[in-house]
PDB file of all heavy atoms in Angstrom:
ATOM      1  N   GLY D 671     -14.589   6.858 -65.172  1.00 88.00           N
ATOM      2  CA  GLY D 671     -13.379   7.255 -64.449  1.00 88.00           C
ATOM      3  C   GLY D 671     -12.928   6.123 -63.557  1.00 88.00           C
ATOM      4  O   GLY D 671     -13.687   5.203 -63.259  1.00 88.00           O
ATOM      5  N   ARG D 672     -11.683   6.185 -63.112  1.00 86.00           N
ATOM      6  CA  ARG D 672     -11.143   5.106 -62.287  1.00 86.00           C
ATOM      7  C   ARG D 672     -10.107   5.666 -61.325  1.00 86.00           C
ATOM      8  O   ARG D 672      -9.349   6.580 -61.662  1.00 86.00           O
ATOM      9  CB  ARG D 672     -10.496   4.026 -63.161  1.00 86.00           C
ATOM     10  CG  ARG D 672      -9.745   2.958 -62.368  1.00 86.00           C
ATOM     11  CD  ARG D 672      -9.132   1.920 -63.270  1.00 86.00           C
ATOM     12  NE  ARG D 672      -8.247   1.035 -62.520  1.00 86.00           N
ATOM     13  CZ  ARG D 672      -7.655  -0.038 -63.013  1.00 86.00           C
ATOM     14  NH1 ARG D 672      -7.852  -0.355 -64.284  1.00 86.00           N
ATOM     15  NH2 ARG D 672      -6.862  -0.784 -62.269  1.00 86.00           N
ATOM     16  N   ALA D 673     -10.084   5.108 -60.131  1.00 84.00           N
ATOM     17  CA  ALA D 673      -9.064   5.464 -59.148  1.00 84.00           C
ATOM     18  C   ALA D 673      -8.697   4.215 -58.372  1.00 84.00           C
ATOM     19  O   ALA D 673      -9.581   3.461 -57.938  1.00 84.00           O
ATOM     20  CB  ALA D 673      -9.568   6.549 -58.199  1.00 84.00           C
ATOM     21  N   ASP D 674      -7.404   3.966 -58.216  1.00 84.00           N
ATOM     22  CA  ASP D 674      -6.935   2.823 -57.431  1.00 84.00           C
ATOM     23  C   ASP D 674      -6.780   3.238 -55.977  1.00 84.00           C
ATOM     24  O   ASP D 674      -6.019   4.156 -55.652  1.00 84.00           O
ATOM     25  CB  ASP D 674      -5.591   2.319 -57.968  1.00 84.00           C
ATOM     26  CG  ASP D 674      -5.741   1.684 -59.349  1.00 84.00           C
ATOM     27  OD1 ASP D 674      -6.794   1.063 -59.582  1.00 84.00           O
ATOM     28  OD2 ASP D 674      -4.820   1.812 -60.164  1.00 84.00           O
ATOM     29  N   ILE D 675      -7.496   2.560 -55.082  1.00 82.00           N
ATOM     30  CA  ILE D 675      -7.447   2.840 -53.652  1.00 82.00           C
ATOM     31  C   ILE D 675      -6.992   1.580 -52.936  1.00 82.00           C
ATOM     32  O   ILE D 675      -7.566   0.505 -53.121  1.00 82.00           O
ATOM     33  CB  ILE D 675      -8.832   3.276 -53.117  1.00 82.00           C
ATOM     34  CG1 ILE D 675      -9.385   4.443 -53.948  1.00 82.00           C
ATOM     35  CG2 ILE D 675      -8.746   3.649 -51.645  1.00 82.00           C
ATOM     36  CD1 ILE D 675      -8.529   5.683 -53.903  1.00 82.00           C
ATOM     37  N   SER D 676      -5.957   1.694 -52.129  1.00 85.00           N
ATOM     38  CA  SER D 676      -5.428   0.515 -51.446  1.00 85.00           C
ATOM     39  C   SER D 676      -6.336   0.106 -50.293  1.00 85.00           C
ATOM     40  O   SER D 676      -7.040   0.927 -49.690  1.00 85.00           O
ATOM     41  CB  SER D 676      -4.024   0.798 -50.905  1.00 85.00           C
ATOM     42  OG  SER D 676      -4.071   1.708 -49.826  1.00 85.00           O
ATOM     43  N   ARG D 677      -6.310  -1.172 -49.971  1.00 83.00           N
ATOM     44  CA  ARG D 677      -7.097  -1.685 -48.850  1.00 83.00           C
ATOM     45  C   ARG D 677      -6.612  -1.077 -47.543  1.00 83.00           C
ATOM     46  O   ARG D 677      -7.418  -0.801 -46.642  1.00 83.00           O
ATOM     47  CB  ARG D 677      -6.977  -3.209 -48.804  1.00 83.00           C
ATOM     48  CG  ARG D 677      -7.807  -3.859 -47.690  1.00 83.00           C
ATOM     49  CD  ARG D 677      -7.796  -5.375 -47.813  1.00 83.00           C
ATOM     50  NE  ARG D 677      -8.587  -6.001 -46.766  1.00 83.00           N
ATOM     51  CZ  ARG D 677      -8.111  -6.343 -45.577  1.00 83.00           C
ATOM     52  NH1 ARG D 677      -6.827  -6.108 -45.282  1.00 83.00           N
ATOM     53  NH2 ARG D 677      -8.888  -6.916 -44.673  1.00 83.00           N
ATOM     54  N   ARG D 678      -5.317  -0.856 -47.442  1.00 83.00           N
ATOM     55  CA  ARG D 678      -4.768  -0.282 -46.212  1.00 83.00           C
ATOM     56  C   ARG D 678      -5.337   1.120 -45.968  1.00 83.00           C
ATOM     57  O   ARG D 678      -5.652   1.478 -44.836  1.00 83.00           O
ATOM     58  CB  ARG D 678      -3.245  -0.219 -46.283  1.00 83.00           C
ATOM     59  CG  ARG D 678      -2.611   0.431 -45.055  1.00 83.00           C
ATOM     60  CD  ARG D 678      -1.109   0.379 -45.100  1.00 83.00           C
ATOM     61  NE  ARG D 678      -0.634  -1.000 -45.009  1.00 83.00           N
ATOM     62  CZ  ARG D 678       0.666  -1.340 -45.013  1.00 83.00           C
ATOM     63  NH1 ARG D 678       1.591  -0.386 -45.115  1.00 83.00           N
ATOM     64  NH2 ARG D 678       1.028  -2.597 -44.912  1.00 83.00           N
ATOM     65  N   LEU D 679      -5.468   1.899 -47.055  1.00 81.00           N
ATOM     66  CA  LEU D 679      -6.031   3.243 -46.900  1.00 81.00           C
ATOM     67  C   LEU D 679      -7.453   3.167 -46.357  1.00 81.00           C
ATOM     68  O   LEU D 679      -7.824   3.904 -45.445  1.00 81.00           O
ATOM     69  CB  LEU D 679      -6.026   3.978 -48.240  1.00 81.00           C
ATOM     70  CG  LEU D 679      -6.751   5.338 -48.269  1.00 81.00           C
ATOM     71  CD1 LEU D 679      -6.088   6.312 -47.305  1.00 81.00           C
ATOM     72  CD2 LEU D 679      -6.773   5.917 -49.666  1.00 81.00           C
ATOM     73  N   LEU D 680      -8.245   2.253 -46.922  1.00 76.00           N
ATOM     74  CA  LEU D 680      -9.625   2.124 -46.460  1.00 76.00           C
ATOM     75  C   LEU D 680      -9.693   1.683 -45.009  1.00 76.00           C
ATOM     76  O   LEU D 680     -10.572   2.107 -44.255  1.00 76.00           O
ATOM     77  CB  LEU D 680     -10.381   1.137 -47.351  1.00 76.00           C
ATOM     78  CG  LEU D 680     -10.538   1.540 -48.823  1.00 76.00           C
ATOM     79  CD1 LEU D 680     -11.258   0.452 -49.601  1.00 76.00           C
ATOM     80  CD2 LEU D 680     -11.280   2.855 -48.938  1.00 76.00           C
ATOM     81  N   LEU D 681      -8.758   0.823 -44.589  1.00 78.00           N
ATOM     82  CA  LEU D 681      -8.744   0.361 -43.203  1.00 78.00           C
ATOM     83  C   LEU D 681      -8.276   1.457 -42.257  1.00 78.00           C
ATOM     84  O   LEU D 681      -8.877   1.693 -41.207  1.00 78.00           O
ATOM     85  CB  LEU D 681      -7.845  -0.874 -43.066  1.00 78.00           C
ATOM     86  CG  LEU D 681      -8.354  -2.157 -43.719  1.00 78.00           C
ATOM     87  CD1 LEU D 681      -7.300  -3.249 -43.627  1.00 78.00           C
ATOM     88  CD2 LEU D 681      -9.656  -2.619 -43.067  1.00 78.00           C
ATOM     89  N   GLN D 682      -7.187   2.134 -42.627  1.00 75.00           N
ATOM     90  CA  GLN D 682      -6.609   3.137 -41.739  1.00 75.00           C
ATOM     91  C   GLN D 682      -7.463   4.399 -41.661  1.00 75.00           C
ATOM     92  O   GLN D 682      -7.423   5.107 -40.664  1.00 75.00           O
ATOM     93  CB  GLN D 682      -5.189   3.493 -42.215  1.00 75.00           C
ATOM     94  CG  GLN D 682      -4.194   2.363 -42.024  1.00 75.00           C
ATOM     95  CD  GLN D 682      -2.803   2.741 -42.500  1.00 75.00           C
ATOM     96  OE1 GLN D 682      -2.645   3.627 -43.333  1.00 75.00           O
ATOM     97  NE2 GLN D 682      -1.797   2.057 -41.983  1.00 75.00           N
ATOM     98  N   GLU D 683      -8.222   4.669 -42.707  1.00 70.00           N
ATOM     99  CA  GLU D 683      -9.051   5.868 -42.722  1.00 70.00           C
ATOM    100  C   GLU D 683     -10.507   5.542 -42.434  1.00 70.00           C
ATOM    101  O   GLU D 683     -11.407   6.285 -42.814  1.00 70.00           O
ATOM    102  CB  GLU D 683      -8.947   6.560 -44.093  1.00 70.00           C
ATOM    103  CG  GLU D 683      -7.573   7.110 -44.395  1.00 70.00           C
ATOM    104  CD  GLU D 683      -7.217   8.282 -43.497  1.00 70.00           C
ATOM    105  OE1 GLU D 683      -8.135   8.983 -43.056  1.00 70.00           O
ATOM    106  OE2 GLU D 683      -6.025   8.483 -43.233  1.00 70.00           O
ATOM    107  N   LYS D 684     -10.731   4.450 -41.742  1.00 63.00           N
ATOM    108  CA  LYS D 684     -12.103   4.029 -41.475  1.00 63.00           C
ATOM    109  C   LYS D 684     -12.883   5.104 -40.725  1.00 63.00           C
ATOM    110  O   LYS D 684     -14.063   5.321 -40.959  1.00 63.00           O
ATOM    111  CB  LYS D 684     -12.091   2.725 -40.686  1.00 63.00           C
ATOM    112  CG  LYS D 684     -13.469   2.115 -40.500  1.00 63.00           C
ATOM    113  CD  LYS D 684     -13.376   0.765 -39.827  1.00 63.00           C
ATOM    114  CE  LYS D 684     -14.765   0.140 -39.672  1.00 63.00           C
ATOM    115  NZ  LYS D 684     -14.697  -1.178 -39.009  1.00 63.00           N
TER     116      LYS D 684
END
Side-chain angles (χ1 to χ4, degrees):
R672 172 180 171 174
D674 292 326
I675 307 298
S676 70
R677 182 172 180 271
R678 177 175 294 181
L679 173 62
L680 297 178
L681 291 174
Q682 291 180 337
E683 294 292 332
K684 187 175 181 180

